[in-house]
Amino acid sequence: MPETQAPTLTDRLRAHTQAPLDRLGAGLARLGLQADQVTIFGLLLVGLAALLLAQGAFLAGALLMLCSLPLDALDGAVARAAGRESRFGMVLDSTLDRYADGFIFAAFGYYFAEAGRMDMLAVALVALLGSFMVSYIRARADDAKVAVKTTVGLFTRLERVLVLLVMTFAAGISQSPAPVEVGLLLLAAGTNLTALQRLRFVHRTLKGRGE
C-alpha cells in the first residue's frame, strides 16, 4: 500500500489563512495588481534583507524577511481573484523561492566569511544545499513520469522560514551571532534529513505501486 502523508504545518496554516488572504487578494486584483508583480516584489524584499544580513544587521534583516513572508502566499490569492492562475506563474513562484533561499544563505555565508569563520560558511552552504534538495525532490517526484505528491518531512519551506526568522530576530535582539550559528546548524541537519525523508517516501510509494 502507498504511504499516506500527514498534513504539514503549511497545510494547517493555509487552512486558517486562506479566507483573509483571498479577500486581500481580491482587493489587490481590483486595483490592477498582478500576481507576478507580487511575487517579484517579495523577492526584492528578501534581496534587501539579505544585504542587511550580510552586514550583520540581523534585526533589520529579520523585519524585512517577516514583511516578505505574506507575499509568498498573497500572489496566489491575487491570481485566483483575477482568474489568471497559470502554469508559468507557478514555475515563476517556485523559481523565485529558490533565489530567495540562495540570497539568505549566501548572506549568512558572506557574513561569516568576512568574520573569518570558514566553519560557519561551510554550515551555511550545507544548509543551502539541503534546502535546495528538499524542493528539488518534491519537484522531481511531482513530474508526470513519477507522479508522487511529496510534502513529507520535518523542514518544509515554512519550517525553514520560521527557523530563519527566529534565529535572526534573536541575533538582532541579543546583538550576537550565536543564535544564527545554532539556527544554521539546525537547518543544515534538518533540511538534509528532510531530503532523505522525501527520498524514502518516494521509494516506498513507488514500491507500493509495484514500480
Side-chain angles (χ1 to χ4, degrees), residues 3 22 26 44 52 59 98 102 130 132 138 152 155 160 164 168-169 172 179-180 188 205:
E3 289 195 357
D22 283 345
L44 291 176
L52 291 168
L59 188 57
R98 303 293 77 73
F132 275 19
R138 177 179 178 178
V152 298
F155 279 74
R160 298 197 304 269
L164 286 169
T168 48
F169 270 117
V180 173
T205 300

Side-chain angles (χ1 to χ4, degrees), residues 17-158:
T17 60
Q18 190 73 56
L21 280 174
D22 283 345
R23 287 193 294 270
L24 182 54
L28 293 175
R30 285 194 295 270
L31 293 174
L33 197 65
Q34 297 179 15
D36 290 351
Q37 293 172 330
V38 176
T39 305
I40 293 169
F41 182 64
L43 180 65
L44 291 176
L45 283 182
V46 173
L48 290 174
L51 289 174
L52 291 168
L53 295 173
Q55 299 172 48
F58 296 126
L59 188 57
L63 287 170
L64 275 181
M65 280 199 294
L66 182 62
C67 290
S68 72
L69 189 56
L71 300 179
D72 202 30
L74 190 57
D75 52 3
V78 172
R80 288 191 297 273
R84 294 179 180 175
E85 290 183 278
S86 68
R87 290 186 175 90
F88 175 74
M90 295 171 62
V91 172
L92 178 66
D93 185 43
S94 295
T95 301
L96 297 193
D97 280 348
R98 303 293 77 73
Y99 272 110
D101 290 342
F103 287 167
I104 295 300
F105 286 111
F108 287 125
Y110 178 87
Y111 171 81
F112 284 111
E114 281 288 290
R117 294 289 308 278
M118 295 300 122
D119 56 334
M120 289 309 302
L121 168 61
V123 171
L125 292 175
V126 172
L128 173 60
L129 178 62
S131 295
F132 275 19
M133 292 309 299
V134 168
S135 300
Y136 175 78
I137 292 168
R138 177 179 178 178
R140 191 68 184 90
D142 278 348
D143 186 275
K145 293 182 180 179
V146 182
V148 177
K149 183 174 176 59
T150 309
T151 60
V152 298
L154 296 173
F155 279 74
T156 66
R157 180 167 173 76
L158 180 58

